[in-house]
Amino acid sequence: MTLKKDSKSLGSEQKKSQNEDASLIELKNFENKKEIESQPLEVSKGNNNENGFLDFGFKESILNSLRNKGYKSPTPIQKAAIPELMLGRDLLGQAQTGTGKTAAFALPLIEKLSDNKELNAKVLVMTPTRELATQVAESFKSYSSESSNFKTVAIYGGTDYRSQISALKRKVDVVVGTPGRIMDHIRQGTFKIKDINCLVLDEADEMLNMGFLEDIEWIIDQLPENKQMVLFSATMPSEIRNIAKKYLNDPAEIFIKSVKKETQLISQKFLYVQRHHKLDALKRILELNNEGVIIFVRTKLLTTSIAEALENSGHTVAVLNGDIPQNQRENTVDRLKKGFINILVATDVAARGLDVERIKLVVNYDFPFDKETYTHRIGRTGRAGRSGEAILFVNQREKHFLRNLENSTRTKIEEINIPSNKVINEKRMEKLIDNVNESSLAKDENEENKALIVDVLDNLKEKYSMDDSNIAMSAINLVIGNKSFFVNEDDSWIHKQNNIDRNRSNRNINNRMRNSNRRNNYQNDSFETYKFNFGKFDGVRVANIISSICNSTNINGRSIGKIQIFNDYSLVDLPRDLHRETKNKLKKIKVRN
Ligand code: AMP
């Protein structure tokens, strides 16, 4: 079975359906390129009109799974990409997460493979991180949930080989994985690639950032020559264009004109806070919004200490960091999705690609290392067309970074105050009134409980001669409990701080963050150089160093600076002020064993 077809032999029906998209897709100067507007996604549970998806000619099993997911109509990237991929064309797409790009490639591939009975995998999807691999594999699984015997397997580092090997031994249609682990399985012969007829490179720019270029090229060279190639990337630097030129055959090119509409759904705010007041400020923020929150911190140690502090304040919290085994991380994300956990404290690496629709607030507790990290963090909210809020904590030293961040993201980040006692107490009061009101509405729904309540009321009136207002007051008292309802801690520091910060001038603004070449610009003041005793003689390459550092510590690939490999040692620029625990881990790092 092959997925590849000649695009010139378009059937008239297919041509027609493509032309019908013309109102949305603007064909630009050169033949293949389609530039499209990004739009918020629409989801409707229950009352689903899947007409938009009917145009693609998908099998009923796929339409059913889309109906279950509540997708109303295809997103612009899906409208543009699906017809091309159904024809077997190669595709070069510029799209970020949140645009529906995963379904754009997954749906046509599932459609083509839904009758596949052969044992070996037909499609390989490569992603930069294990989090994205899991997420993409989950998407394939949910879109194929109604297609019988369709199998997707995820293979990535940091987990046991055995379960992956046994999954690869059985029938598999799609393999999703990270470059290092894919290479390992190919070398060991545990991943049979001779029947692969489609390769998808997802978040290709991120893979390049992490130094995976050589690995990707090695993998492509191992795969059968005649295959469909799909390349998605959030940005289109020349390196990506070069890969496209080298490996893609007359690809359809689709570019999202602007992703502004998605980020516009996220209201971006910042507050000034001194280091020693950060935890208190966080607790105060959570008084106003504590359902579906991600808090980003820089070190693993901080994730646990903050989570503990929040738990002690009565929140349901979980931690997501690189020390936590993969299956436990998946479990945590699942519990967050289902609402068993409301708050997640995470490091950047562990939360990469996290896609949970109910996230309403992202707190940047520690300032992000760069613009990309910030954009990724805030993108964890505002998912699937919903609105969201992002709050950035800024201390005196980080003020100029804030201005640079605003410049480089071309966004005005609005200043807010740390909630004072007055604000919090008003909110508590409002919540109490709402809760009592909601409970008065809800009690009609359960007849059994209603009878019980009437019984209790009668009892109180007869036995204790209580009147209605007495009973109501006692019930509210019961809800409040015996702890003091209002906050009355000293909050004078909040008022003082807001005044001091407002009066300070914004001198020393520089544009380091605006410059996209982070590695060179950050070098002088934000980086320290570390020497490692492995080098060219050990066969070490840049990608090996980056993946070892990322896998063994909480350091994000993007925050690694310049890497120089000499014959018997290597110099790596890493962020200044790394935590002692991280430094200890760096000392024990192994590269290629
Ligand atoms: P992605 O860009 O693939 O990371 O997808 C972002 C989010 O959009 C995911 O939560 C998807 O489940 C959701 N999504 C994808 N396609 C659609 C669609 N046509 N309608 C509504 N939601 C969608």
Side-chain angles (χ1 to χ4, degrees):
M1 181 190 291
T2 173
L3 294 174
K4 195 131 185 156
K5 263 199 215 164
D6 184 359
S7 62
K8 288 175 191 97
S9 62
L10 272 180
S12 62
E13 275 309 303
Q14 284 156 328
K15 266 186 190 157
K16 185 167 162 271
S17 97
Q18 274 186 302
N19 289 341
E20 278 163 5
D21 288 332
S23 57
L24 196 115
I25 301 161
E26 212 183 314
L27 284 168
K28 286 284 157 183
N29 302 342
F30 51 98
E31 204 189 350
N32 286 332
K33 182 175 167 185
K34 290 175 180 181
E35 222 174 81
I36 54 180
E37 284 269 4
S38 168
Q39 282 170 0
L41 309 179
E42 278 184 281
V43 183
S44 84
K45 294 277 177 216
N47 178 23
N48 181 18
N49 156 22
E50 78 282 14
N51 277 340
F53 287 105
L54 282 177
D55 289 347
F56 300 127
F58 287 145
K59 291 195 179 68
E60 197 53 34
S61 51
I62 294 188
L63 294 175
N64 275 342
S65 61
L66 293 174
R67 208 171 288 134
N68 293 342
K69 289 196 75 80
Y71 291 3
K72 221 174 167 185
S73 55
T75 65
I77 186 93
Q78 291 162 4
K79 280 192 184 163
I82 291 173
E84 305 288 359
L85 293 176
M86 295 277 274
L87 291 167
R89 281 193 78 176
D90 284 3
L91 186 128
L92 175 63
Q94 182 171 352
Q96 303 194 335
T97 47
T99 52
K101 71 174 162 60
T102 316
F105 61 80
L107 295 174
L109 296 175
I110 295 169
E111 169 68 29
K112 296 229 169 190
L113 287 173
S114 56
D115 297 326
N116 177 35
K117 303 246 170 354
E118 292 165 41
L119 199 68
N120 292 339
K122 295 275 185 291
V123 172
L124 171 62
V125 183
M126 250 195 275
T127 68
T129 62
R130 53 188 177 186
E131 281 72 25
L132 187 61
T134 326
Q135 195 185 305
V136 170
E138 263 180 28
S139 297
F140 266 98
K141 283 177 193 166
S142 74
Y143 299 137
S144 64
S145 59
E146 305 283 318
S147 314
S148 60
N149 207 22
F150 192 97
K151 289 279 170 325
T152 305
V153 172
I155 55 176
Y156 42 78
T159 40
D160 191 28
Y161 278 89
R162 272 171 303 179
S163 58
Q164 295 178 358
I165 291 172
S166 73
L168 288 170
K169 265 188 195 152
R170 294 190 288 267
K171 188 233 178 197
V172 51
D173 296 279
V174 177
V175 171
V176 186
T178 47
R181 188 56 68 101
I182 292 172
M183 284 172 82
D184 288 348
H185 280 292
I186 294 178
R187 282 205 191 98
Q188 291 170 17
T190 41
F191 174 21
K192 307 267 184 307
I193 50 169
K194 70 178 178 48
D195 296 328
I196 294 286
N197 52 26
C198 177
L199 171 67
V200 181
L201 302 177
D202 195 11
E203 295 200 359
D205 51 351
E206 190 59 28
M207 289 201 266
L208 254 53
N209 266 337
M210 293 177 75
F212 284 135
L213 180 60
E214 280 178 56
D215 295 354
I216 294 171
E217 298 209 299
W218 184 89
I219 294 167
I220 295 178
D221 285 345
Q222 311 304 308
L223 297 175
E225 201 153 319
N226 186 21
K227 62 187 169 301
Q228 183 179 23
M229 289 266 308
V230 180
L231 190 158
F232 272 106
S233 187
T235 56
M236 270 303 148
S238 56
E239 295 94 323
I240 299 286
R241 293 220 149 264
N242 289 341
I243 295 185
K245 243 186 239 153
K246 193 165 163 191
Y247 295 107
L248 272 57
N249 176 19
D250 183 29
E253 296 189 32
I254 297 166
F255 287 74
I256 294 271
K257 221 194 237 170
S258 144
V259 288
K260 265 208 164 139
K261 283 184 184 150
E262 258 104 47
T263 47
Q264 272 168 3
L265 293 171
I266 305 166
S267 88
Q268 300 178 47
K269 296 166 180 165
F270 78 90
L271 51 83
Y272 285 122
V273 58
Q274 287 167 302
R275 254 191 222 186
H276 57 283
H277 284 309
K278 273 169 104 171
L279 187 58
D280 202 0
L282 177 65
K283 286 184 188 165
R284 284 171 177 271
I285 291 290
L286 294 176
E287 282 276 350
L288 309 189
N289 186 354
N290 61 10
E291 281 178 22
V293 183
I294 298 192
I295 299 156
F296 279 99
V297 299
R298 223 173 255 178
T299 66
K300 290 179 206 173
L301 204 66
L302 256 185
T303 55
T304 41
S305 65
I306 289 180
E308 265 170 33
L310 296 181
E311 215 158 46
N312 290 339
S313 308
H315 295 287
T316 51
V317 195
V319 158
L320 208 63
N321 69 37
D323 277 349
I324 295 175
Q326 185 61 25
N327 55 357
Q328 204 177 317
R329 284 198 222 176
E330 284 160 18
N331 183 272
T332 302
V333 173
D334 199 45
R335 288 197 301 140
L336 180 69
K337 278 185 186 162
K338 291 182 176 144
F340 297 133
I341 299 167
N342 277 322
I343 300 173
L344 200 62
V345 190
T347 55
D348 290 301
V349 179
R352 250 221 95 71
L354 191 112
D355 182 18
V356 178
E357 286 176 13
R358 66 182 280 266
I359 297 298
K360 290 203 196 97
L361 171 67
V362 170
V363 179
N364 288 277
Y365 187 86
D366 287 327
F367 207 94
F369 277 123
D370 52 26
K371 167 187 124 187
E372 286 82 5
T373 309
Y374 176 74
T375 312
H376 177 267
R377 284 180 179 185
I378 68 167
R380 298 315 93 208
T381 182
R383 309 293 291 171
R386 287 169 171 74
S387 59
E389 189 182 5
I391 299 178
L392 175 64
F393 282 17
V394 182
N395 67 32
Q396 197 50 39
R397 277 178 39 208
E398 290 160 340
K399 257 182 157 175
H400 61 282
F401 287 128
L402 172 70
R403 300 289 161 241
N404 296 336
L405 188 62
E406 286 187 321
N407 287 339
S408 60
T409 55
R410 294 201 191 92
T411 321
K412 180 90 194 102
I413 305 178
E414 181 202 341
E415 182 178 353
I416 55 165
N417 288 332
I418 300 168
S420 62
N421 289 357
K422 184 169 176 281
V423 173
I424 291 175
N425 290 338
E426 278 169 8
K427 179 75 189 181
R428 284 189 180 184
M429 188 72 178
E430 192 186 308
K431 219 167 163 180
L432 176 66
I433 293 169
D434 280 355
N435 284 348
V436 173
N437 180 41
E438 271 167 31
S439 135
S440 91
L441 300 173
K443 77 170 187 285
D444 295 336
E445 283 169 15
N446 185 330
E447 283 305 318
E448 205 179 309
N449 283 357
K450 197 177 168 189
L452 170 77
I453 291 165
V454 172
D455 223 21
V456 172
L457 279 178
D458 289 346
N459 253 298
L460 288 170
K461 283 179 186 168
E462 273 172 34
K463 216 164 157 187
Y464 300 101
S465 318
M466 289 173 83
D467 62 19
D468 285 351
S469 75
N470 263 334
I471 295 172
M473 275 162 73
S474 313
I476 294 171
N477 204 12
L478 205 63
V479 174
I480 294 172
N482 47 16
K483 274 201 259 159
S484 115
F485 180 73
F486 290 121
V487 254
N488 47 21
E489 293 150 22
D490 178 16
D491 68 350
S492 53
W493 61 274
I494 296 175
H495 305 290
K496 248 186 255 158
Q497 174 155 325
N498 288 337
N499 291 337
I500 295 168
D501 283 314
R502 219 156 271 126
N503 294 337
R504 274 186 181 146
S505 67
N506 287 334
R507 271 173 283 137
N508 244 349
I509 296 173
N510 64 53
N511 285 333
R512 272 171 300 181
M513 264 185 139
R514 189 193 280 182
N515 194 320
S516 61
N517 194 348
R518 161 185 53 81
R519 295 211 166 143
N520 291 328
N521 286 310
Y522 263 61
Q523 216 159 299
N524 298 334
D525 52 356
S526 298
F527 281 92
E528 262 170 338
T529 304
Y530 285 72
K531 184 175 175 185
F532 294 88
N533 63 353
F534 39 71
K536 279 186 198 153
F537 288 162
D538 305 295
V540 163
R541 291 181 292 118
V542 168
N544 305 132
I545 296 182
I546 296 181
S547 57
S548 297
I549 293 177
C550 293
N551 286 333
S552 323
T553 69
N554 65 326
I555 299 172
N556 181 338
R558 285 183 183 282
S559 44
I560 299 175
K562 198 158 109 190
I563 298 179
Q564 300 168 76
I565 304 180
F566 299 93
N567 286 345
D568 50 7
Y569 69 96
S570 306
L571 299 179
V572 182
D573 286 354
L574 294 173
R576 207 171 273 286
D577 300 331
L578 287 177
H579 196 272
R580 193 158 24 96
E581 196 196 11
T582 311
K583 286 185 180 169
N584 286 339
K585 291 208 166 128
L586 283 172
K587 278 186 199 157
K588 293 183 205 141
I589 266 185
K590 279 188 174 178
V591 173
R592 305 190 70 200
N593 287 320

